[in-house]
Amino acid sequence: MSEQANNRRREGKHLFTSESVAMGHPDKVADQISDGILDEVMRQDPNGRVAVETMVATGLVMVAGQVTTSCYVDIPAIAREVVKEIGYNDARTGFDYLTCAVLTSIDEQSPDISQGVTEGEGLHKEQGAGDQGVMFGYACNETPEMMPCPIQFSHRIVERLAEVRLNNELSYLRPDGKSQVTVEYFDDKPQRVHTVVVSAQHDEDVAYETLRDEIIEKVVHPVIPKDMLDDNTIYHINPTGRFVLGGPHADTGLTGRKIIVDTYGGRGSHGGGAFSGKDPTKVDRTASYMARHIAKNIVAAGIAEKVEVQLGYAIGVAEPVSVYACTEGTSVIPEDKIEAMIKELFPLTPRQMIDYLNMRRPIYRETARHGHFGRVNPDFTWENTNKVDELRKAAGL
C-alpha cells in the first residue's frame, strides 16, 4: 500500500459530509448561463472555442470571456431563457428573466493559445491541450452510480427539490436552495446517514412546520435509501427558520465557484479548474470527464473498490505528461499495472478524448446543475462502463 493510501485509509468510525446546491443557487445560475452559451455555439459550430464566465447579482447578468466562432449567438436571449427555466420569473423577488439587465464583454481567443490547440499551427502538429493543469477522476463502490454516498445523496435532494417545485407538489418553494448530507462510516464503509441539512427558499406565507415536515417526507425520504436512515438521523431543515430572500438578489453568483459540488463533494482531489463555460478543447473539462470515465470503469470491473485517477497536461502538448492511479489499498492488482492499462486502453489526447466521448454537442447546460457525475443520462458518455471487459482481461480477472 502506498504512503498516500496508508494516510487516507480509515479504521473505526468517522463522519464525512458533502454539500450540493439547487439549480437556483446564484453560482449555479451563473454556471447554467455559461453552459447555455456554450451549448448554442456547439449547436451551430461544433469547432467553436468558448471560455465564458458569468456573474449574477440583483437585476443583473454579466457575461465576459473569449468566444471564437463562425456563428452568431444571442447571449442576452440565452441568459434570459436560462433564468426563466430555472424559475426566476417574478420581479418582486429582485431577479427575473424579463427585467434583469444583461451586459457582455466578449473577445476572441488569444492567437497564442489558439495555435497550441489548432492542429498544425503550434510547435506540435497534433491538437494540444488548451491549458496546462492536473485533472482528477474518482469512483467508488458506495452507490450503484459509483459515487461517494454523501455527494450522491446531496445531489439527489436538490434534484428532488427542483422536481417538487416545478410540478407544484410543493408550490411554495422558490428556486434557491442547498443540501448537505453527513454519512457515518465504519472501517471505511458507509453505514448510515447521520445528518441531513436542507435549506430551501420559500414563499413568505408558508408555515415553518409545514415546510419542515413536507421536505422530510417528500424530498429527503424518497431519495435516500431507507436502510441508510434510522431514528437517530438528525434533520436540519431551514435551520435559520426563514429563507424567503434568496437567489442573485441575496447573494452574488459566479461561474466556477462550486467546483467541489460539481465533482465528488470533497472526496478525492481536485485540480482547481472549473468546468462550466469551457468548450471541449479545455482539458479542465474534457480530461476531468475522461478521468471519471476511467475511474468508474476500473471500479465497475472489480479491479478496485475505489480509485482516484490523475491526468496531467501541458498547454499545446497532446499526450498527458503524467498518468497516476491511487486505489487506497483496495485494488486486486498493483497500481503501476493499472496505470499501464489506462495508457493502453483509454484515449488520452485532447482530440481522442473529444471524439471518444462525443463532446462537440450541445449537452453542457444539463451538466451545470445537480452534478456532472453519477447521473443516468445518455448524453453523459463519461458515465458509460463500456471498458469493463477489456480491463478485466488486461488485469487477468
Side-chain angles (χ1 to χ4, degrees):
M1 188 186 302
S2 69
E3 182 179 353
Q4 180 180 2
N6 272 318
N7 290 337
R8 295 183 61 181
R9 293 300 300 278
R10 295 293 299 269
E11 293 183 358
K13 186 168 67 175
H14 73 276
L15 303 177
F16 195 90
T17 303
S18 296
E19 71 158 343
S20 186
V21 296
M23 62 193 293
H25 185 282
D27 294 329
K28 279 289 132 195
V29 173
D31 284 342
Q32 289 167 84
I33 292 172
S34 294
D35 273 340
I37 295 165
L38 171 61
D39 274 357
E40 185 56 30
V41 173
M42 290 291 101
R43 183 176 290 109
Q44 299 186 56
D45 178 13
N47 293 308
R49 306 273 173 79
V50 179
V52 294
E53 318 286 341
T54 301
M55 183 196 75
V56 294
T58 301
L60 175 66
V61 175
M62 174 69 188
V63 180
Q66 295 78 44
V67 178
T68 301
T69 180
S70 60
C71 67
Y72 171 73
V73 178
D74 188 341
I75 291 177
I78 293 169
R80 295 182 193 283
E81 176 193 353
V82 172
V83 172
K84 179 182 179 181
E85 182 186 283
I86 291 169
Y88 288 112
N89 51 22
D90 187 343
R92 291 172 298 177
T93 67
F95 188 78
D96 79 293
Y97 76 100
L98 284 174
T99 64
C100 66
V102 183
L103 307 180
T104 64
S105 178
I106 302 295
D107 295 309
E108 290 191 341
Q109 183 180 57
S110 161
D112 295 346
I113 296 175
S114 178
Q115 73 175 21
V117 180
T118 304
E119 291 187 14
E121 290 190 6
L123 290 177
H124 306 274
K125 291 184 179 180
E126 192 173 355
Q127 176 181 329
D131 202 350
Q132 69 176 44
V134 292
M135 294 80 203
F136 291 90
Y138 184 83
C140 62
N141 61 3
E142 292 181 12
T143 64
E145 299 84 3
M146 298 176 202
M147 290 284 286
C149 280
I151 188 64
Q152 191 68 11
F153 295 163
S154 295
H155 281 328
R156 299 296 73 82
I157 287 172
V158 296
E159 189 173 38
R160 178 66 180 162
L161 274 177
E163 182 180 338
V164 298
R165 173 175 61 86
L166 294 171
N167 68 15
N168 288 318
E169 188 174 350
L170 297 182
S171 58
Y172 52 78
L173 292 180
R174 292 180 182 176
D176 200 356
K178 287 185 174 184
S179 68
Q180 185 173 282
V181 176
T182 301
V183 173
E184 184 177 290
Y185 288 77
F186 187 78
D187 287 348
D188 220 26
K189 305 292 184 184
Q191 300 298 311
R192 57 182 291 273
V193 171
H194 180 278
T195 303
V196 177
V197 182
V198 181
S199 295
Q201 187 188 15
H202 58 86
D203 290 342
E204 193 163 7
D205 56 358
V206 63
Y208 174 77
E209 293 75 13
T210 299
L211 180 143
R212 183 185 189 280
D213 292 346
E214 291 193 334
I215 285 181
I216 292 174
E217 176 189 352
K218 297 183 178 183
V219 175
V220 177
H221 286 173
V223 298
I224 295 183
K226 292 181 180 179
D227 61 357
M228 292 293 287
L229 299 169
D230 58 35
D231 292 342
N232 294 318
T233 298
I234 300 166
Y235 297 91
H236 293 299
I237 309 300
N238 281 20
T240 72
R242 176 183 168 90
F243 188 4
V244 174
L245 188 64
H249 182 47
D251 188 14
T252 301
L254 294 171
T255 297
R257 201 157 60 177
K258 287 291 179 284
I259 59 176
I260 301 303
V261 170
D262 285 345
T263 52
Y264 309 102
R267 289 289 293 274
S269 305
H270 198 293
F275 301 155
S276 291
K278 297 178 180 178
D279 74 76
T281 66
K282 279 70 173 176
V283 285
D284 276 346
R285 185 166 218 157
T286 301
S288 294
Y289 288 5
M290 178 56 75
R292 161 63 180 173
H293 178 66
I294 294 168
K296 186 175 182 180
N297 275 268
I298 289 169
V299 173
I303 293 172
E305 295 179 12
K306 60 186 72 176
V307 64
E308 179 178 277
V309 174
Q310 184 205 63
L311 303 175
Y313 288 88
I315 187 169
V317 180
E319 294 289 342
V321 297
S322 66
V323 175
Y324 172 74
C326 176
T327 66
E328 301 183 29
T330 67
S331 61
V332 298
I333 61 174
E335 290 171 344
D336 58 350
K337 183 172 182 179
I338 295 175
E339 292 165 358
M341 290 161 51
I342 292 171
K343 295 175 186 177
E344 179 184 353
L345 297 177
F346 292 92
L348 298 177
T349 70
R351 173 74 175 271
Q352 290 171 342
M353 292 187 294
I354 290 168
D355 292 344
Y356 175 81
L357 295 175
N358 193 16
M359 295 188 70
R360 294 193 184 278
R361 297 177 294 147
I363 61 173
Y364 297 104
R365 189 161 129 195
E366 185 62 31
T367 69
R369 57 194 185 205
H370 310 145
H372 293 246
F373 308 126
R375 297 170 62 186
V376 179
N377 185 316
D379 287 331
F380 289 23
T381 51
W382 47 94
E383 293 295 313
N384 294 339
T385 52
N386 53 300
K387 288 287 190 177
V388 166
D389 290 343
E390 290 179 71
L391 282 165
R392 288 184 61 83
K393 182 178 178 180
L397 301 180

